[in-house]
Amino acid sequence: MTRPPLQEVRPMVQIFTLRERLAALPGTVRRRAESSSLHAGVVADARAVAPEIPRDADAGHLERAARRLLRRAAQDEFAREGVARMPLPPEDAGRADLRRADVPGEASFHAFVEDVLSAVDITPSPLERDDAVDLRDARGSSDAYGLSPEVSSDLASYLLCRAYALVEEPEELETYLDQQAERIREDMRAALVRQVRVPLELSVARDRHARIGNGHVEEDFASPTGGPGDEYATAEQRADFGRRARTAFEFAQSEAGRAAFGALRSSAGRAAGRAYEKYGNPRTPPGR
């Protein structure tokens, strides 16, 4: 039996290959859509707790948000308790004075750092989205200084578990969390060392401790909005900001919200055009 020429076999192979690709196409599209939907849902869960996370975030964004959360908790704890627990140089001490004082070498500083780090427990989080938001906004989760290290640890665990869902080639969850916890502790330790080596940071911590201890938080430190960038916002202000942010986000996503924002953009464009006609030079329009 003679074998058909090569040029007669190849077209048939190409046809079968094309049919297989066409048959697999709907499944590929479906898997991509499911992956995109999963990604959007994970990021939305994380943004409910940390609104500064971008909408197009990847795993790295969520990991950095978790580290920021606990770095901030360490700085707040230093202002809350550390300032009073260890001997610090005079308030007018400069950088050279702080270097000679070597506060990081003091036993009291080591004890304080270990106390703060002991609150860090990065574990698989059982929290759902609503639970995490309620925990962040609960009255017992924060004081005038900020969130407690324990609550920050729980929220960081929540964010890292969401980040794990976005890792492209994940290892075991426990291994992943152990690695992240080690990095978080290093960040917190470094942040605390900076508190007693950088004059400005130490001055701010001392000032916060004195003012909050004297009950001057509302008039001297608290922002009227208590937004995420306000480090001196009270627990009530943080909770109120979270509620207002969620309400604004839900409105922006609604049909009425999109229509309202569209009308605002159109109105702004017309106003800009009228202003340009009145004050601009038609011979040298903007951008020319």
Side-chain angles (χ1 to χ4, degrees):
M1 181 176 181
T2 59
R3 186 175 179 178
L6 183 60
Q7 61 270 22
E8 295 180 9
V9 176
R10 185 174 298 167
M12 186 64 68
V13 173
Q14 292 175 345
I15 290 174
F16 280 124
T17 302
L18 182 60
R19 287 176 178 172
E20 290 175 357
R21 290 177 179 174
L22 289 174
L25 184 60
T28 302
V29 172
R30 184 176 62 255
R31 285 192 295 273
R32 288 178 179 174
E34 291 172 352
S35 176
S36 177
S37 176
L38 172 64
H39 184 281
V42 168
V43 173
D45 288 346
R47 281 173 50 80
V49 171
E52 73 274 11
I53 294 174
R55 287 184 172 82
D56 58 348
D58 56 21
H61 288 94
L62 275 62
E63 292 168 357
R64 290 191 291 275
R67 295 201 298 272
R68 283 196 304 271
L69 192 64
L70 278 165
R71 272 200 310 270
R72 174 59 192 278
Q75 294 167 336
D76 291 341
E77 189 70 5
F78 180 81
R80 182 186 290 117
E81 293 187 6
V83 169
R85 279 183 55 177
M86 63 192 70
L88 296 174
E91 294 189 8
D92 59 351
R95 193 177 302 274
D97 297 323
L98 292 178
R99 191 164 53 247
R100 284 192 295 270
D102 190 26
V103 177
E106 295 285 342
S108 57
F109 180 80
H110 282 284
F112 172 75
V113 171
E114 291 307 314
D115 282 349
V116 175
L117 296 183
S118 69
V120 178
D121 187 20
I122 304 300
T123 58
S125 176
L127 296 176
E128 297 294 336
R129 174 175 170 171
D130 292 344
D131 300 327
V133 172
D134 289 344
L135 176 63
R136 182 199 62 190
D137 295 343
R139 184 178 295 273
S141 295
S142 62
D143 58 10
Y145 292 94
L147 290 170
S148 72
E150 291 81 5
V151 170
S152 297
S153 179
D154 290 341
L155 295 178
S157 295
Y158 170 83
L159 291 175
L160 289 172
C161 286
R162 294 302 183 272
Y164 180 78
L166 301 180
V167 176
E168 293 186 0
E169 297 181 2
E171 51 212 329
E172 292 295 328
L173 176 60
E174 288 75 11
T175 303
Y176 170 79
L177 292 179
D178 287 345
Q179 292 172 350
Q180 294 298 321
E182 182 178 356
R183 186 168 184 181
I184 282 172
R185 291 189 180 96
E186 290 175 356
D187 283 0
M188 294 174 71
R189 186 177 285 106
L192 290 171
V193 169
R194 281 176 56 88
Q195 291 284 156
V196 296
R197 281 188 173 167
V198 180
L200 182 57
E201 293 188 21
L202 179 57
S203 175
V204 169
R206 278 173 146 161
D207 203 18
R208 289 184 68 195
H209 182 81
R211 289 177 178 268
I212 293 175
N214 292 330
H216 296 307
V217 185
E218 288 283 336
E219 66 182 54
D220 290 332
F221 279 99
S223 161
T225 60
D230 176 18
E231 60 179 342
Y232 301 113
T234 62
E236 290 79 8
Q237 288 172 326
R238 291 176 190 274
D240 182 61
F241 175 82
R243 286 190 292 270
R244 287 187 284 115
R246 288 194 297 276
T247 300
F249 176 77
E250 291 168 0
F251 175 73
Q253 298 300 309
S254 67
E255 191 69 31
R258 288 194 294 269
F261 288 128
L264 284 173
R265 285 193 297 268
S266 299
S267 176
R270 289 194 296 271
R274 289 194 297 269
Y276 175 70
E277 290 174 0
K278 185 174 182 180
Y279 300 107
N281 184 349
R283 290 175 296 179
T284 56
R288 295 286 180 89

